Amino acid sequence: MTISTLPPDRNLPISPMRYDPRFQVETKADNFDLASAVRLLRRRMKMIITISVLLLVPAAIMISGLKPAYQAWARVIIHQPLATSLGAEDSSRSDLLDAKSETERLLSRSIAERVIRDLRINLRPEFNPALRKLSFIQRVRAKLRGLFDTEKPSPPARDSIDAVIPEYFSALGVWHEDKSDVIQISFTTSDPELAAAVPNRVVSVYLDERKDSMSGRLDSAEEWIRQRITEQQARTVIARDAARNYQESMDVISKEDAQDERIKSLIEITGREGKIEESRVEVRATIATLEAADNASVAVQNIAVPDNITTKQRDLRAQEQDLARLLETYDGNAQAVVDLRGDIEKSRADLNLATKQYLQTMRAKLAALDHEAAAVQSILDVAHEKRTREALAQTELTRLQRIADKEQAALDKLEDQRRDLAAKAMLPGAELEILSPASVPLASQGRGRLFYLVGAFLAAISGAVTVALMIEMWDRTVRSFDQIAGMTRTIPAGLIPSRGRNEYPTTLFGQMQVRMFDEAIRTVMLSLKQSNGGKLPNSIVVTSAHSGEGKSLVARSLALELAASGIPVLLVDGDLARGKLDSFFRSGLMYGLNEFLNGESGIRDIVYHHPSGVDFIPSGKFSLQRRARANGLAEIIEMAGAAGRIVIFDSAPVLASADTVHLTALAERTLAVVRWGKTSRRAVEFSLQQMKSSRNSEIHVAINNVNAKNHALYNFSDSELFSRSLMKYYDPKQEYITHNGNRSILGIVRTMKHHILLH
């Protein structure tokens, strides 16, 4: 049983008591432990379940429509024909074709069309979209597309193969291994026999296509090379005719004969020229000797002379010797000496005459030799000129013959190519070695429906948990005093739980919510009293950052709580633009605070006394803007203080009206109401900065509309306030607070308060 007593007088001296704030904020570290994760999942369980269901339902529909898929594959190696490498000059060349090129050939459209027609794949609804029935989702999608697309796409023809080709290629797989030249061909379908038939048929069609392609290429190449051979033959004939005609027109003999003739002629002429030059040198030397000497007898001693001159020289020398012997015996006047001297002079004269004649002969011979040398030089010049002309002609002839030989070599090469193409035409396009043919698969490919369903379920839960975690990370709203502990000059006033829709719900939880709300209002009142030195403040401003955060509910609850405790209270609707407290109390007054501030009414005309004990001043008409009484609010505070009443102002939101900032400067205490899970921390901080003043330096903050169950799932220091601290003090079966078994006056007044709050 809970015993209620009348509250003490608020003006009693209580100075020996210590008045610390009831809510001491203890900031916790933001460590994300396992308990925090569990709390996150619990408080976001509805959203997680909803998102998981939304993701899982379409996935389950798609999984239920899955059919077992069978896959068969063949492994092959493609070689060049062995006969093509027998005559190759480079024996080291590999006999493997390019695996990448052959892979692309296996994926060609021509092979796909033949395989589709041969195996009648176009008649299967699995691969032909025209044969399928549209699902509900596809029909809805088509209708939505028709709303925005004026041109309706024509449906595919049932016999058309164009729509089957993409489906065929999506089921076909052709690839080669990087470290080998093995090509694997696979096909996936719901029919196991078709899965094995397609790879084998692809290999067969590939060989046929390769052979046809090679035959066509060889025929085209052979036709082209025949045209080249015809053109080359014409060029070869023209080149040979040009060489032959030039040889005949220039009278150029063969290279060997011309060489022999030129050698003989040059040897003869050169030898003759050398002999003439030698003779000329000898004659010039003889003439020079004879012309240089004064004594002919001395001159002929050093050169070769004819015999008569030699004889005369010898006789002259003998006479000179005889004269020398006579002079040894006789003197110079002897007759024999004189006679011998006369003979010597005569012999000398004869020798000189013979020498002069010989000199004339040598000069004549030199002239003859010069003439002959000039004739030989002329002949030699003509020979050299002829040799030059023959060399040029021979060079040109050689060039023409080389051109003719080159054209003939090109013709021979083309002939060899033609014979090679003719030989290759008899060979297959490629040789294919089948390592493992495709066989009918015995088991389906991939996992079962249960596996995919479990995977989809886990993926849906993971996605939902991820979304919940992201929402938690993006949440910047106020949910605890721990989040605003860093804001200076703030006093936690208490957590106010959310109320039920009915005054006295029939459920157990609803009754606890009403009692928890009443206790939270008394806690706020106690916080205001403790921060004011142990007595209630004379004036209180109740405001919020934005509208819709429950400040009016808190203001009238505080007023009713004070009235129920026997404390006179005056509730003023300070929201001059959008105040609605008059509709709750149903005062029926014609005037309000707006009329009072504009001087249209007095203080007695705007105060309404409610049976609950609350005196109330409505906001009045919203259209009035002019204010004649600038200090009207201060007058109301003074009037209430003189009458012993506590004034509670239900003011406008701070961020919506400047009047609230002025009002907080006049009142003793300010109570800022923050809505749990809605008001952002930034808005709270900004509004608190707007309201702080020298008189009202500390602002009380109350968190309203707290969801007790969800709040207990957070890792804040005050998370378990409702779940463990408050609920255990109340008996869910007790409906009213009684004293000595009877309903007290406090219980009756509180009942009236609940009725007023509901309206």
Side-chain angles (χ1 to χ4, degrees):
M1 176 181 295
T2 302
I3 301 175
S4 296
T5 59
L6 294 176
D9 189 359
R10 63 185 180 93
N11 294 319
L12 292 178
I14 49 176
S15 56
M17 299 175 60
R18 293 186 60 187
Y19 298 99
D20 295 329
R22 185 175 179 181
F23 289 91
Q24 298 292 335
V25 178
E26 178 185 356
T27 304
K28 289 188 175 182
D30 294 334
N31 296 330
F32 189 82
D33 54 2
L34 184 60
S36 300
V38 173
R39 291 190 183 98
L40 187 149
L41 296 177
R42 289 180 61 187
R43 63 177 174 262
R44 297 290 180 179
M45 185 59 66
K46 292 182 180 180
M47 183 184 66
I48 292 175
I49 294 175
T50 302
I51 296 176
S52 300
V53 171
L54 292 177
L55 295 177
L56 188 59
V57 168
I61 294 175
M62 295 177 61
I63 293 172
S64 63
L66 293 178
K67 296 181 179 180
Y70 297 90
Q71 186 182 49
W73 60 88
R75 302 175 69 248
V76 299
I77 299 179
I78 302 176
H79 302 270
Q80 289 182 349
L82 182 61
T84 57
S85 61
L86 295 178
E89 296 179 359
D90 187 7
S91 59
S92 63
R93 185 179 61 183
S94 176
D95 62 340
L96 293 174
L97 296 176
D98 186 8
K100 293 183 178 179
S101 301
E102 301 308 313
T103 300
E104 296 299 326
R105 285 194 176 95
L106 288 169
L107 292 172
S108 63
R109 183 182 176 89
S110 59
I111 294 179
E113 291 179 354
R114 286 190 57 181
V115 172
I116 290 172
R117 290 192 177 95
D118 293 346
L119 299 179
R120 306 181 70 181
I121 297 178
N122 56 333
L123 301 180
R124 296 175 178 266
E126 181 182 358
F127 298 96
N128 193 345
L131 302 178
R132 301 175 191 165
K133 295 182 179 179
L134 294 178
S135 63
F136 175 75
I137 298 177
Q138 291 176 340
R139 290 195 299 269
V140 172
R141 187 186 304 169
K143 291 182 179 179
L144 293 176
R145 188 184 296 113
L147 296 176
F148 301 98
D149 191 2
T150 56
E151 297 181 0
K152 295 183 179 180
S154 58
R158 299 174 65 89
D159 298 334
S160 177
I161 202 175
D162 294 333
V164 183
I165 292 293
E167 302 288 339
Y168 167 80
F169 279 122
S170 63
L172 180 67
V174 179
W175 70 95
H176 75 283
E177 301 177 358
D178 295 335
K179 297 182 180 180
S180 66
D181 292 303
V182 177
I183 298 177
Q184 298 188 14
I185 307 171
S186 65
F187 194 77
T188 305
T189 179
S190 58
D191 187 358
E193 295 182 357
L194 181 62
V198 170
N200 297 330
R201 187 56 184 167
V202 167
V203 172
S204 177
V205 174
Y206 163 77
L207 291 176
D208 295 340
E209 291 280 340
R210 197 77 170 83
K211 182 177 180 180
D212 296 341
S213 175
M214 185 61 68
S215 299
R217 292 174 57 195
L218 291 174
D219 292 342
S220 300
E222 187 175 2
E223 181 65 25
W224 175 80
I225 204 168
R226 286 184 181 278
Q227 295 178 0
R228 289 287 308 277
I229 288 174
T230 303
E231 296 173 358
Q232 190 63 34
Q233 287 176 348
R235 286 194 292 269
T236 303
V237 171
I238 292 173
R240 293 200 176 278
D241 291 343
R244 184 174 61 255
N245 294 335
Y246 181 80
Q247 184 178 9
E248 292 176 355
S249 61
M250 298 299 294
D251 195 14
V252 181
I253 59 177
S254 63
K255 190 173 182 179
E256 294 79 6
D257 296 341
Q259 187 71 19
D260 295 340
E261 289 295 333
R262 282 196 300 271
I263 291 174
K264 290 179 180 180
S265 176
L266 289 175
I267 290 174
E268 290 178 358
I269 296 174
T270 304
R272 186 177 176 184
E273 183 182 16
K275 291 178 180 180
I276 292 174
E277 188 64 27
E278 291 177 0
S279 299
R280 291 175 66 189
V281 171
E282 292 177 358
V283 172
R284 285 195 186 97
T286 301
I287 293 173
T289 302
L290 292 175
E291 290 178 348
D294 295 337
N295 192 352
S297 61
V298 177
V300 297
Q301 291 179 2
N302 299 322
I303 61 175
V305 294
D307 294 340
N308 58 344
I309 296 175
T310 303
T311 301
K312 290 179 179 182
Q313 182 183 11
R314 188 170 53 250
D315 292 343
L316 178 61
R317 190 178 300 166
Q319 289 176 356
E320 290 177 349
Q321 291 176 357
D322 291 339
L323 178 60
R325 284 194 299 270
L326 286 177
L327 289 175
E328 292 177 357
T329 305
Y330 303 100
D331 55 4
N333 295 323
Q335 187 62 35
V337 173
V338 173
D339 292 338
L340 185 56
R341 285 180 176 173
D343 293 337
I344 290 173
E345 291 294 333
K346 184 179 178 182
S347 296
R348 184 175 286 114
D350 293 339
L351 179 59
N352 290 334
L353 179 60
T355 301
K356 291 179 180 180
Q357 290 177 354
Y358 180 67
L359 179 59
Q360 293 297 327
T361 303
M362 288 294 102
R363 288 175 178 171
K365 184 177 180 180
L366 180 59
L369 289 174
D370 290 339
H371 183 271
E372 185 178 4
V376 171
Q377 185 64 37
S378 176
I379 294 172
L380 188 60
D381 292 339
V382 172
H384 280 295
E385 183 180 359
K386 184 177 180 181
R387 180 184 177 186
T388 302
R389 290 196 304 270
E390 289 180 354
L392 293 175
Q394 190 67 38
T395 302
E396 181 65 18
L397 179 61
T398 302
R399 187 184 68 82
L400 294 176
Q401 289 177 348
R402 189 180 295 111
I403 292 174
D405 294 340
K406 185 178 179 180
E407 296 294 339
Q408 183 63 39
L411 179 61
D412 295 339
K413 185 178 180 180
L414 290 175
E415 289 289 346
D416 293 339
Q417 291 179 354
R418 185 186 62 81
R419 289 191 292 270
D420 186 54
L421 287 176
K424 288 182 178 180
M426 296 182 293
L427 296 176
E431 292 181 355
L432 192 140
E433 179 183 356
I434 301 178
L435 300 180
S436 59
S439 59
V440 178
L442 301 179
S444 60
Q445 186 74 13
R447 307 285 183 175
R449 295 180 182 177
L450 180 61
F451 176 83
Y452 291 114
L453 188 61
V454 172
F457 177 73
L458 295 178
I461 293 179
S462 301
V465 172
T466 302
V467 173
L469 181 60
M470 294 177 65
I471 293 176
E472 286 288 333
M473 293 174 61
W474 290 338
D475 188 7
R476 295 294 182 268
T477 59
V478 176
R479 296 181 182 272
S480 172
F481 288 113
D482 293 348
Q483 297 173 318
I484 60 176
M487 301 179 187
T488 59
R489 300 178 182 178
T490 57
I491 300 176
L495 300 176
I496 303 174
S498 59
R499 293 171 52 87
R501 294 184 178 181
N502 299 324
E503 181 181 2
Y504 298 106
T506 56
T507 61
L508 180 62
F509 180 73
Q511 295 177 7
M512 291 174 64
Q513 264 198 333
V514 173
R515 298 181 184 276
M516 290 169 61
F517 181 84
D518 296 339
E519 183 65 23
I521 294 299
R522 288 193 291 272
T523 302
V524 174
M525 189 69 68
L526 181 60
S527 176
L528 292 171
K529 186 176 181 180
Q530 288 178 344
S531 64
N532 198 38
K535 63 179 181 178
L536 292 172
N538 293 326
S539 56
I540 304 171
V541 176
V542 181
T543 183
S544 61
H546 301 287
S547 60
E549 297 183 2
K551 63 176 180 58
S552 298
L553 175 64
V554 174
R556 64 176 180 265
S557 298
L558 289 174
L560 292 172
E561 184 66 30
L562 290 174
S565 300
I567 300 174
V569 61
L570 175 62
L571 180 61
V572 181
D573 191 352
D575 192 351
L576 302 178
R578 293 181 296 178
K580 297 181 180 179
L581 285 179
D582 186 38
S583 61
F584 289 98
F585 286 93
R586 299 180 181 179
S587 63
L589 295 178
M590 299 298 295
Y591 303 103
L593 184 61
N594 272 310
E595 287 77 8
F596 174 73
L597 295 178
N598 284 275
E600 296 181 3
S601 62
I603 190 66
R604 298 179 180 274
D605 299 330
I606 62 174
V607 177
Y608 170 74
H609 182 75
H610 193 267
S612 62
V614 177
D615 292 337
F616 169 68
I617 298 178
S619 60
K621 297 181 180 179
F622 302 151
S623 60
L624 299 178
Q625 300 295 333
R626 184 178 60 85
R627 297 177 184 177
R629 295 181 179 178
N631 298 326
L633 297 176
E635 294 177 4
I636 294 176
I637 296 176
E638 293 177 359
M639 180 272 296
R645 297 178 182 177
I646 296 177
V647 182
I648 299 178
F649 289 95
D650 181 12
S651 67
V654 179
L655 303 181
S657 175
D659 295 335
T660 303
V661 179
H662 174 67
L663 186 58
T664 55
L666 297 176
E668 292 185 10
R669 287 291 179 265
T670 301
L671 176 63
V673 179
V674 178
R675 185 165 182 176
W676 185 86
K678 180 180 180 182
T679 308
S680 64
R681 280 171 271 178
R682 184 175 181 182
V684 173
E685 184 176 6
F686 185 70
S687 61
L688 293 178
Q689 291 178 357
Q690 295 292 323
M691 291 186 293
K692 288 175 182 178
S693 63
S694 58
R695 181 180 180 185
N696 197 6
S697 59
E698 293 183 346
I699 299 176
H700 293 260
V701 179
I703 301 178
N704 183 37
N705 200 29
V706 179
N707 190 323
K709 293 180 63 178
N710 290 342
H711 185 72
L713 298 177
Y714 284 90
N715 193 27
F716 299 125
S717 59
D718 53 3
S719 296
E720 299 182 357
L721 179 63
F722 295 106
S723 60
R724 295 183 181 179
S725 300
L726 293 179
M727 293 182 180
K728 65 181 181 180
Y729 293 107
Y730 297 97
D731 184 7
K733 298 181 180 180
Q734 184 180 359
E735 191 173 22
Y736 298 100
I737 300 177
T738 59
H739 176 62
N740 295 328
N742 299 321
R743 182 178 302 175
S744 65
I745 300 175
L746 181 61
I748 298 173
V749 174
R750 194 163 292 157
T751 303
M752 296 175 62
K753 179 191 67 173
H754 290 312
H755 284 288
I756 295 172
L757 292 175
L758 282 177
H759 294 291

